[in-house]
Amino acid sequence: MKANDVILQTATKVVFFIIFLFSIHIFFAGHFAPGGGFVGGLLTTAAIVLLLLAFDLKTVQQALPFNFMIVVAIGLLLAIGMGAGSFVFNVPFLTHAFGDFYLPLFGETSLHTAMIFDAGVYLVVVGSTITMIQSIGGES
């Protein structure tokens, strides 16, 4: 039986979003500074582990109703798809394309296909680590 840790659970609700937003920042900053999909994925996993420490596994599974094996599969498809795209355009493996676009609210923005690859890495890291943690901590 889990103790009723009101202070830990209340602090976790705030700190989770701080860590998650920082992981998103690290993900997007990864093209121009250290970071990217792997580090962002680890930070997101750390935020979810914090939820698992404060709440029980069933509560977290109800709050995040994802099958994390499907998250891994989607991440692998994104990452492999970006690599396979280089064969379609007859360029070296994992060559990325980029361009400058005007996006409402963001203005002039540089978009890269490497970000799609990083999103795949992000999803693979989050999905695989949470799957491992759930299989260690859960019965099913």
Side-chain angles (χ1 to χ4, degrees), residues 5-36:
D5 298 324
V6 177
I7 295 173
L8 176 63
Q9 291 175 351
T10 304
T12 296
K13 291 175 186 177
V14 174
V15 173
F16 169 80
F17 286 106
I18 293 171
I19 296 172
F20 181 71
L21 290 175
F22 185 63
S23 76
I24 299 299
H25 167 74
I26 290 295
F27 170 77
F28 284 113
H31 301 293
F32 305 108

PDB file of all heavy atoms in Angstrom, residues 5-36:
ATOM      1  N   ASP A   5       1.403  10.716   0.024  1.00  0.00           N
ATOM      2  CA  ASP A   5       2.408  11.770   0.031  1.00  0.00           C
ATOM      3  C   ASP A   5       1.876  12.998  -0.699  1.00  0.00           C
ATOM      4  O   ASP A   5       2.165  13.211  -1.878  1.00  0.00           O
ATOM      5  CB  ASP A   5       3.693  11.281  -0.632  1.00  0.00           C
ATOM      6  CG  ASP A   5       4.314  10.116   0.109  1.00  0.00           C
ATOM      7  OD1 ASP A   5       4.229  10.104   1.344  1.00  0.00           O
ATOM      8  OD2 ASP A   5       4.877   9.228  -0.556  1.00  0.00           O
ATOM      9  N   VAL A   6       1.099  13.801   0.000  1.00  0.00           N
ATOM     10  CA  VAL A   6       0.437  14.951  -0.624  1.00  0.00           C
ATOM     11  C   VAL A   6       1.449  15.975  -1.105  1.00  0.00           C
ATOM     12  O   VAL A   6       1.325  16.521  -2.205  1.00  0.00           O
ATOM     13  CB  VAL A   6      -0.575  15.579   0.368  1.00  0.00           C
ATOM     14  CG1 VAL A   6      -1.213  16.815  -0.230  1.00  0.00           C
ATOM     15  CG2 VAL A   6      -1.621  14.576   0.761  1.00  0.00           C
ATOM     16  N   ILE A   7       2.480  16.227  -0.318  1.00  0.00           N
ATOM     17  CA  ILE A   7       3.476  17.234  -0.696  1.00  0.00           C
ATOM     18  C   ILE A   7       4.245  16.778  -1.935  1.00  0.00           C
ATOM     19  O   ILE A   7       4.440  17.552  -2.878  1.00  0.00           O
ATOM     20  CB  ILE A   7       4.421  17.523   0.485  1.00  0.00           C
ATOM     21  CG1 ILE A   7       3.634  18.160   1.629  1.00  0.00           C
ATOM     22  CG2 ILE A   7       5.568  18.427   0.053  1.00  0.00           C
ATOM     23  CD1 ILE A   7       4.425  18.332   2.903  1.00  0.00           C
ATOM     24  N   LEU A   8       4.685  15.506  -1.938  1.00  0.00           N
ATOM     25  CA  LEU A   8       5.410  14.979  -3.095  1.00  0.00           C
ATOM     26  C   LEU A   8       4.544  14.992  -4.346  1.00  0.00           C
ATOM     27  O   LEU A   8       4.998  15.390  -5.432  1.00  0.00           O
ATOM     28  CB  LEU A   8       5.896  13.556  -2.807  1.00  0.00           C
ATOM     29  CG  LEU A   8       6.594  12.835  -3.967  1.00  0.00           C
ATOM     30  CD1 LEU A   8       7.874  13.560  -4.351  1.00  0.00           C
ATOM     31  CD2 LEU A   8       6.869  11.394  -3.597  1.00  0.00           C
ATOM     32  N   GLN A   9       3.277  14.592  -4.216  1.00  0.00           N
ATOM     33  CA  GLN A   9       2.396  14.554  -5.377  1.00  0.00           C
ATOM     34  C   GLN A   9       2.101  15.951  -5.901  1.00  0.00           C
ATOM     35  O   GLN A   9       2.058  16.166  -7.117  1.00  0.00           O
ATOM     36  CB  GLN A   9       1.107  13.818  -5.022  1.00  0.00           C
ATOM     37  CG  GLN A   9       1.317  12.340  -4.804  1.00  0.00           C
ATOM     38  CD  GLN A   9       0.063  11.627  -4.343  1.00  0.00           C
ATOM     39  OE1 GLN A   9      -0.943  12.250  -4.028  1.00  0.00           O
ATOM     40  NE2 GLN A   9       0.131  10.307  -4.284  1.00  0.00           N
ATOM     41  N   THR A  10       1.919  16.915  -5.022  1.00  0.00           N
ATOM     42  CA  THR A  10       1.653  18.286  -5.458  1.00  0.00           C
ATOM     43  C   THR A  10       2.876  18.887  -6.134  1.00  0.00           C
ATOM     44  O   THR A  10       2.758  19.522  -7.188  1.00  0.00           O
ATOM     45  CB  THR A  10       1.236  19.150  -4.256  1.00  0.00           C
ATOM     46  OG1 THR A  10       0.108  18.545  -3.622  1.00  0.00           O
ATOM     47  CG2 THR A  10       0.880  20.557  -4.693  1.00  0.00           C
ATOM     48  N   ALA A  11       4.050  18.687  -5.550  1.00  0.00           N
ATOM     49  CA  ALA A  11       5.281  19.212  -6.153  1.00  0.00           C
ATOM     50  C   ALA A  11       5.558  18.530  -7.490  1.00  0.00           C
ATOM     51  O   ALA A  11       6.014  19.172  -8.443  1.00  0.00           O
ATOM     52  CB  ALA A  11       6.451  19.008  -5.204  1.00  0.00           C
ATOM     53  N   THR A  12       5.249  17.235  -7.579  1.00  0.00           N
ATOM     54  CA  THR A  12       5.487  16.497  -8.819  1.00  0.00           C
ATOM     55  C   THR A  12       4.646  17.037  -9.958  1.00  0.00           C
ATOM     56  O   THR A  12       5.118  17.116 -11.097  1.00  0.00           O
ATOM     57  CB  THR A  12       5.196  15.000  -8.601  1.00  0.00           C
ATOM     58  OG1 THR A  12       6.120  14.501  -7.643  1.00  0.00           O
ATOM     59  CG2 THR A  12       5.325  14.221  -9.888  1.00  0.00           C
ATOM     60  N   LYS A  13       3.418  17.426  -9.668  1.00  0.00           N
ATOM     61  CA  LYS A  13       2.546  17.965 -10.718  1.00  0.00           C
ATOM     62  C   LYS A  13       3.139  19.226 -11.340  1.00  0.00           C
ATOM     63  O   LYS A  13       2.974  19.465 -12.539  1.00  0.00           O
ATOM     64  CB  LYS A  13       1.163  18.262 -10.149  1.00  0.00           C
ATOM     65  CG  LYS A  13       0.384  17.019  -9.790  1.00  0.00           C
ATOM     66  CD  LYS A  13      -0.934  17.363  -9.119  1.00  0.00           C
ATOM     67  CE  LYS A  13      -1.649  16.126  -8.630  1.00  0.00           C
ATOM     68  NZ  LYS A  13      -2.894  16.442  -7.918  1.00  0.00           N
ATOM     69  N   VAL A  14       3.835  20.024 -10.563  1.00  0.00           N
ATOM     70  CA  VAL A  14       4.456  21.250 -11.080  1.00  0.00           C
ATOM     71  C   VAL A  14       5.786  20.937 -11.752  1.00  0.00           C
ATOM     72  O   VAL A  14       6.063  21.373 -12.875  1.00  0.00           O
ATOM     73  CB  VAL A  14       4.650  22.282  -9.940  1.00  0.00           C
ATOM     74  CG1 VAL A  14       5.426  23.487 -10.421  1.00  0.00           C
ATOM     75  CG2 VAL A  14       3.312  22.691  -9.356  1.00  0.00           C
ATOM     76  N   VAL A  15       6.623  20.146 -11.063  1.00  0.00           N
ATOM     77  CA  VAL A  15       7.966  19.856 -11.569  1.00  0.00           C
ATOM     78  C   VAL A  15       7.903  19.033 -12.855  1.00  0.00           C
ATOM     79  O   VAL A  15       8.749  19.205 -13.743  1.00  0.00           O
ATOM     80  CB  VAL A  15       8.797  19.151 -10.473  1.00  0.00           C
ATOM     81  CG1 VAL A  15      10.137  18.686 -11.003  1.00  0.00           C
ATOM     82  CG2 VAL A  15       8.993  20.084  -9.290  1.00  0.00           C
ATOM     83  N   PHE A  16       6.899  18.165 -12.995  1.00  0.00           N
ATOM     84  CA  PHE A  16       6.749  17.384 -14.224  1.00  0.00           C
ATOM     85  C   PHE A  16       6.681  18.306 -15.440  1.00  0.00           C
ATOM     86  O   PHE A  16       7.371  18.082 -16.434  1.00  0.00           O
ATOM     87  CB  PHE A  16       5.498  16.506 -14.150  1.00  0.00           C
ATOM     88  CG  PHE A  16       5.135  15.880 -15.471  1.00  0.00           C
ATOM     89  CD1 PHE A  16       5.796  14.755 -15.919  1.00  0.00           C
ATOM     90  CD2 PHE A  16       4.151  16.427 -16.279  1.00  0.00           C
ATOM     91  CE1 PHE A  16       5.485  14.175 -17.136  1.00  0.00           C
ATOM     92  CE2 PHE A  16       3.825  15.864 -17.496  1.00  0.00           C
ATOM     93  CZ  PHE A  16       4.499  14.731 -17.929  1.00  0.00           C
ATOM     94  N   PHE A  17       5.843  19.335 -15.362  1.00  0.00           N
ATOM     95  CA  PHE A  17       5.692  20.224 -16.513  1.00  0.00           C
ATOM     96  C   PHE A  17       6.936  21.063 -16.755  1.00  0.00           C
ATOM     97  O   PHE A  17       7.270  21.357 -17.909  1.00  0.00           O
ATOM     98  CB  PHE A  17       4.455  21.100 -16.351  1.00  0.00           C
ATOM     99  CG  PHE A  17       3.180  20.340 -16.567  1.00  0.00           C
ATOM    100  CD1 PHE A  17       2.370  19.998 -15.499  1.00  0.00           C
ATOM    101  CD2 PHE A  17       2.809  19.915 -17.825  1.00  0.00           C
ATOM    102  CE1 PHE A  17       1.209  19.275 -15.690  1.00  0.00           C
ATOM    103  CE2 PHE A  17       1.657  19.192 -18.033  1.00  0.00           C
ATOM    104  CZ  PHE A  17       0.848  18.868 -16.957  1.00  0.00           C
ATOM    105  N   ILE A  18       7.650  21.423 -15.703  1.00  0.00           N
ATOM    106  CA  ILE A  18       8.907  22.163 -15.879  1.00  0.00           C
ATOM    107  C   ILE A  18       9.925  21.299 -16.610  1.00  0.00           C
ATOM    108  O   ILE A  18      10.559  21.740 -17.573  1.00  0.00           O
ATOM    109  CB  ILE A  18       9.439  22.648 -14.513  1.00  0.00           C
ATOM    110  CG1 ILE A  18       8.499  23.695 -13.924  1.00  0.00           C
ATOM    111  CG2 ILE A  18      10.855  23.204 -14.656  1.00  0.00           C
ATOM    112  CD1 ILE A  18       8.814  24.078 -12.492  1.00  0.00           C
ATOM    113  N   ILE A  19      10.079  20.049 -16.161  1.00  0.00           N
ATOM    114  CA  ILE A  19      11.034  19.147 -16.821  1.00  0.00           C
ATOM    115  C   ILE A  19      10.604  18.853 -18.255  1.00  0.00           C
ATOM    116  O   ILE A  19      11.425  18.842 -19.176  1.00  0.00           O
ATOM    117  CB  ILE A  19      11.183  17.833 -16.020  1.00  0.00           C
ATOM    118  CG1 ILE A  19      11.788  18.115 -14.650  1.00  0.00           C
ATOM    119  CG2 ILE A  19      12.054  16.832 -16.781  1.00  0.00           C
ATOM    120  CD1 ILE A  19      11.793  16.902 -13.734  1.00  0.00           C
ATOM    121  N   PHE A  20       9.295  18.639 -18.460  1.00  0.00           N
ATOM    122  CA  PHE A  20       8.806  18.337 -19.807  1.00  0.00           C
ATOM    123  C   PHE A  20       9.029  19.510 -20.758  1.00  0.00           C
ATOM    124  O   PHE A  20       9.488  19.321 -21.887  1.00  0.00           O
ATOM    125  CB  PHE A  20       7.326  17.957 -19.753  1.00  0.00           C
ATOM    126  CG  PHE A  20       6.759  17.607 -21.090  1.00  0.00           C
ATOM    127  CD1 PHE A  20       7.123  16.437 -21.727  1.00  0.00           C
ATOM    128  CD2 PHE A  20       5.871  18.460 -21.727  1.00  0.00           C
ATOM    129  CE1 PHE A  20       6.618  16.111 -22.974  1.00  0.00           C
ATOM    130  CE2 PHE A  20       5.361  18.147 -22.974  1.00  0.00           C
ATOM    131  CZ  PHE A  20       5.732  16.971 -23.595  1.00  0.00           C
ATOM    132  N   LEU A  21       8.728  20.722 -20.312  1.00  0.00           N
ATOM    133  CA  LEU A  21       8.960  21.897 -21.169  1.00  0.00           C
ATOM    134  C   LEU A  21      10.441  22.096 -21.445  1.00  0.00           C
ATOM    135  O   LEU A  21      10.832  22.485 -22.552  1.00  0.00           O
ATOM    136  CB  LEU A  21       8.341  23.137 -20.535  1.00  0.00           C
ATOM    137  CG  LEU A  21       6.815  23.183 -20.530  1.00  0.00           C
ATOM    138  CD1 LEU A  21       6.318  24.407 -19.762  1.00  0.00           C
ATOM    139  CD2 LEU A  21       6.273  23.198 -21.944  1.00  0.00           C
ATOM    140  N   PHE A  22      11.286  21.810 -20.457  1.00  0.00           N
ATOM    141  CA  PHE A  22      12.735  21.909 -20.688  1.00  0.00           C
ATOM    142  C   PHE A  22      13.187  20.855 -21.694  1.00  0.00           C
ATOM    143  O   PHE A  22      14.065  21.126 -22.527  1.00  0.00           O
ATOM    144  CB  PHE A  22      13.496  21.775 -19.373  1.00  0.00           C
ATOM    145  CG  PHE A  22      14.972  21.973 -19.511  1.00  0.00           C
ATOM    146  CD1 PHE A  22      15.482  23.193 -19.936  1.00  0.00           C
ATOM    147  CD2 PHE A  22      15.858  20.952 -19.222  1.00  0.00           C
ATOM    148  CE1 PHE A  22      16.850  23.380 -20.083  1.00  0.00           C
ATOM    149  CE2 PHE A  22      17.213  21.131 -19.364  1.00  0.00           C
ATOM    150  CZ  PHE A  22      17.720  22.347 -19.791  1.00  0.00           C
ATOM    151  N   SER A  23      12.590  19.670 -21.651  1.00  0.00           N
ATOM    152  CA  SER A  23      12.957  18.642 -22.628  1.00  0.00           C
ATOM    153  C   SER A  23      12.568  19.057 -24.042  1.00  0.00           C
ATOM    154  O   SER A  23      13.299  18.785 -24.996  1.00  0.00           O
ATOM    155  CB  SER A  23      12.321  17.298 -22.275  1.00  0.00           C
ATOM    156  OG  SER A  23      10.954  17.272 -22.605  1.00  0.00           O
ATOM    157  N   ILE A  24      11.435  19.729 -24.184  1.00  0.00           N
ATOM    158  CA  ILE A  24      11.025  20.240 -25.502  1.00  0.00           C
ATOM    159  C   ILE A  24      11.995  21.322 -25.968  1.00  0.00           C
ATOM    160  O   ILE A  24      12.397  21.357 -27.139  1.00  0.00           O
ATOM    161  CB  ILE A  24       9.575  20.779 -25.451  1.00  0.00           C
ATOM    162  CG1 ILE A  24       8.597  19.657 -25.077  1.00  0.00           C
ATOM    163  CG2 ILE A  24       9.172  21.431 -26.767  1.00  0.00           C
ATOM    164  CD1 ILE A  24       8.560  18.506 -26.054  1.00  0.00           C
ATOM    165  N   HIS A  25      12.412  22.178 -25.048  1.00  0.00           N
ATOM    166  CA  HIS A  25      13.406  23.214 -25.393  1.00  0.00           C
ATOM    167  C   HIS A  25      14.721  22.574 -25.841  1.00  0.00           C
ATOM    168  O   HIS A  25      15.302  22.985 -26.849  1.00  0.00           O
ATOM    169  CB  HIS A  25      13.642  24.133 -24.196  1.00  0.00           C
ATOM    170  CG  HIS A  25      14.838  25.020 -24.351  1.00  0.00           C
ATOM    171  ND1 HIS A  25      14.835  26.106 -25.202  1.00  0.00           N
ATOM    172  CD2 HIS A  25      16.064  24.976 -23.805  1.00  0.00           C
ATOM    173  CE1 HIS A  25      16.017  26.695 -25.160  1.00  0.00           C
ATOM    174  NE2 HIS A  25      16.776  26.019 -24.319  1.00  0.00           N
ATOM    175  N   ILE A  26      15.186  21.573 -25.106  1.00  0.00           N
ATOM    176  CA  ILE A  26      16.428  20.884 -25.467  1.00  0.00           C
ATOM    177  C   ILE A  26      16.281  20.187 -26.819  1.00  0.00           C
ATOM    178  O   ILE A  26      17.203  20.184 -27.632  1.00  0.00           O
ATOM    179  CB  ILE A  26      16.816  19.867 -24.368  1.00  0.00           C
ATOM    180  CG1 ILE A  26      17.254  20.601 -23.102  1.00  0.00           C
ATOM    181  CG2 ILE A  26      17.895  18.906 -24.824  1.00  0.00           C
ATOM    182  CD1 ILE A  26      18.517  21.415 -23.255  1.00  0.00           C
ATOM    183  N   PHE A  27      15.103  19.627 -27.082  1.00  0.00           N
ATOM    184  CA  PHE A  27      14.861  18.974 -28.370  1.00  0.00           C
ATOM    185  C   PHE A  27      15.015  19.973 -29.513  1.00  0.00           C
ATOM    186  O   PHE A  27      15.706  19.710 -30.493  1.00  0.00           O
ATOM    187  CB  PHE A  27      13.462  18.362 -28.383  1.00  0.00           C
ATOM    188  CG  PHE A  27      13.036  17.867 -29.739  1.00  0.00           C
ATOM    189  CD1 PHE A  27      13.533  16.677 -30.231  1.00  0.00           C
ATOM    190  CD2 PHE A  27      12.158  18.592 -30.507  1.00  0.00           C
ATOM    191  CE1 PHE A  27      13.154  16.220 -31.480  1.00  0.00           C
ATOM    192  CE2 PHE A  27      11.766  18.141 -31.758  1.00  0.00           C
ATOM    193  CZ  PHE A  27      12.264  16.949 -32.244  1.00  0.00           C
ATOM    194  N   PHE A  28      14.388  21.139 -29.400  1.00  0.00           N
ATOM    195  CA  PHE A  28      14.456  22.118 -30.479  1.00  0.00           C
ATOM    196  C   PHE A  28      15.804  22.817 -30.546  1.00  0.00           C
ATOM    197  O   PHE A  28      16.231  23.243 -31.620  1.00  0.00           O
ATOM    198  CB  PHE A  28      13.334  23.148 -30.349  1.00  0.00           C
ATOM    199  CG  PHE A  28      11.999  22.620 -30.782  1.00  0.00           C
ATOM    200  CD1 PHE A  28      10.983  22.430 -29.858  1.00  0.00           C
ATOM    201  CD2 PHE A  28      11.759  22.292 -32.098  1.00  0.00           C
ATOM    202  CE1 PHE A  28       9.756  21.930 -30.247  1.00  0.00           C
ATOM    203  CE2 PHE A  28      10.532  21.791 -32.500  1.00  0.00           C
ATOM    204  CZ  PHE A  28       9.531  21.604 -31.571  1.00  0.00           C
ATOM    205  N   ALA A  29      16.497  22.955 -29.432  1.00  0.00           N
ATOM    206  CA  ALA A  29      17.808  23.606 -29.429  1.00  0.00           C
ATOM    207  C   ALA A  29      18.899  22.690 -29.950  1.00  0.00           C
ATOM    208  O   ALA A  29      20.011  23.142 -30.207  1.00  0.00           O
ATOM    209  CB  ALA A  29      18.158  24.075 -28.014  1.00  0.00           C
ATOM    210  N   GLY A  30      18.595  21.413 -30.130  1.00  0.00           N
ATOM    211  CA  GLY A  30      19.600  20.433 -30.503  1.00  0.00           C
ATOM    212  C   GLY A  30      20.242  20.629 -31.861  1.00  0.00           C
ATOM    213  O   GLY A  30      21.268  20.037 -32.143  1.00  0.00           O
ATOM    214  N   HIS A  31      19.670  21.477 -32.701  1.00  0.00           N
ATOM    215  CA  HIS A  31      20.263  21.697 -34.021  1.00  0.00           C
ATOM    216  C   HIS A  31      21.339  22.771 -33.997  1.00  0.00           C
ATOM    217  O   HIS A  31      22.182  22.820 -34.887  1.00  0.00           O
ATOM    218  CB  HIS A  31      19.181  22.064 -35.028  1.00  0.00           C
ATOM    219  CG  HIS A  31      18.133  21.014 -35.145  1.00  0.00           C
ATOM    220  ND1 HIS A  31      18.389  19.769 -35.661  1.00  0.00           N
ATOM    221  CD2 HIS A  31      16.845  20.991 -34.760  1.00  0.00           C
ATOM    222  CE1 HIS A  31      17.300  19.034 -35.599  1.00  0.00           C
ATOM    223  NE2 HIS A  31      16.345  19.748 -35.054  1.00  0.00           N
ATOM    224  N   PHE A  32      21.320  23.621 -32.984  1.00  0.00           N
ATOM    225  CA  PHE A  32      22.265  24.725 -32.932  1.00  0.00           C
ATOM    226  C   PHE A  32      23.097  24.709 -31.656  1.00  0.00           C
ATOM    227  O   PHE A  32      24.012  25.498 -31.504  1.00  0.00           O
ATOM    228  CB  PHE A  32      21.511  26.057 -33.021  1.00  0.00           C
ATOM    229  CG  PHE A  32      20.630  26.130 -34.236  1.00  0.00           C
ATOM    230  CD1 PHE A  32      19.257  26.063 -34.115  1.00  0.00           C
ATOM    231  CD2 PHE A  32      21.179  26.230 -35.503  1.00  0.00           C
ATOM    232  CE1 PHE A  32      18.450  26.111 -35.236  1.00  0.00           C
ATOM    233  CE2 PHE A  32      20.375  26.277 -36.625  1.00  0.00           C
ATOM    234  CZ  PHE A  32      19.003  26.220 -36.492  1.00  0.00           C
ATOM    235  N   ALA A  33      22.798  23.834 -30.726  1.00  0.00           N
ATOM    236  CA  ALA A  33      23.495  23.717 -29.447  1.00  0.00           C
ATOM    237  C   ALA A  33      23.396  22.263 -29.012  1.00  0.00           C
ATOM    238  O   ALA A  33      22.670  21.478 -29.619  1.00  0.00           O
ATOM    239  CB  ALA A  33      22.843  24.644 -28.418  1.00  0.00           C
ATOM    240  N   PRO A  34      24.114  21.881 -27.948  1.00  0.00           N
ATOM    241  CA  PRO A  34      23.989  20.492 -27.483  1.00  0.00           C
ATOM    242  C   PRO A  34      22.553  20.150 -27.099  1.00  0.00           C
ATOM    243  O   PRO A  34      21.845  20.956 -26.519  1.00  0.00           O
ATOM    244  CB  PRO A  34      24.900  20.454 -26.251  1.00  0.00           C
ATOM    245  CG  PRO A  34      25.886  21.539 -26.493  1.00  0.00           C
ATOM    246  CD  PRO A  34      25.135  22.612 -27.229  1.00  0.00           C
ATOM    247  N   GLY A  35      22.145  18.967 -27.448  1.00  0.00           N
ATOM    248  CA  GLY A  35      20.779  18.522 -27.165  1.00  0.00           C
ATOM    249  C   GLY A  35      20.259  17.730 -28.334  1.00  0.00           C
ATOM    250  O   GLY A  35      21.019  17.183 -29.122  1.00  0.00           O
ATOM    251  N   GLY A  36      18.975  17.672 -28.473  1.00  0.00           N
ATOM    252  CA  GLY A  36      18.363  16.955 -29.581  1.00  0.00           C
ATOM    253  C   GLY A  36      17.415  15.889 -29.093  1.00  0.00           C
ATOM    254  O   GLY A  36      16.943  15.923 -27.954  1.00  0.00           O
TER     255      GLY A  36
END
